[in-house]
Amino acid sequence: RYGQQAELKEQNQCLTAANEELAKNLTDTQLQYCDLQKENAEVQKNLKDCHAFLVTAKIDPVLGERVGDAARQNESQKKEVMSISADLLNEIKAFGDIASQQRARLEEIQETMRGLGEAREQMVQERENFSSEAAELERALKEAETLLL
């Protein structure tokens, strides 16, 4: 009986430790998610700045040429704008991929937390049942000892 109680206590401690570790992981993931949101806001701001630059310079974003009768933009500036646009698009795609991975990881952690909570509840119920049975067996033993005396 004491061995089973010790085993249950040890299992409960393991579950508690795992629960704390998962809670820490969840907090870390949430912090990473906040950082990714800030990074996304910066990328969006950079994209708007580049768009404003294109509009100010009267550059057609599709063709990369000046609009109207203005002189053609020199080749190095055109390449720089295209490079920045490509980099921004790559950053946005990378951010989307990272955000998706983090969301999936967060959902896995939350599912694990739910599973651990259910397992803990089951463990507590089993411990209560065991304690009730042990108490009843002790009462029966005392009654038997009384009858034997």
Side-chain angles (χ1 to χ4, degrees), residues 8-125:
L8 286 173
K9 185 176 181 180
E10 181 180 330
Q11 288 176 352
N12 191 33
Q13 288 174 343
C14 288
L15 285 173
T16 302
N19 194 16
E20 290 171 358
E21 180 66 26
L22 286 172
K24 181 185 178 295
N25 287 345
L26 177 60
T27 302
D28 292 344
T29 301
Q30 287 171 335
L31 290 174
Q32 289 175 350
Y33 183 72
C34 288
D35 291 343
L36 289 173
Q37 284 180 321
K38 290 176 186 174
E39 184 178 331
N40 185 35
E42 291 176 17
V43 169
Q44 292 295 331
K45 183 187 176 301
N46 286 342
L47 187 59
K48 286 180 183 178
D49 290 345
C50 286
H51 179 70
F53 173 75
L54 291 173
V55 170
T56 302
K58 296 182 180 179
I59 296 173
D60 183 346
V62 176
L63 299 175
E65 299 175 349
R66 290 194 180 270
V67 177
D69 296 332
R72 293 192 173 271
Q73 185 174 357
N74 74 34
E75 194 61 27
S76 66
Q77 287 178 335
K78 180 179 172 182
K79 286 180 182 179
E80 183 180 346
V81 169
M82 296 305 285
S83 174
I84 290 171
S85 296
D87 290 346
L88 286 173
L89 290 173
N90 289 336
E91 285 182 26
I92 289 171
K93 184 183 181 305
F95 173 79
D97 293 343
I98 290 170
S100 295
Q101 291 170 357
Q102 291 296 325
R103 178 174 293 279
R105 185 173 173 212
L106 178 61
E107 289 171 357
E108 289 174 6
I109 289 170
Q110 288 173 336
E111 187 60 37
T112 303
M113 293 288 287
R114 278 191 288 274
L116 284 173
E118 292 171 6
R120 187 175 190 284
E121 288 176 25
Q122 183 180 359
M123 181 74 69
V124 168
Q125 185 63 42

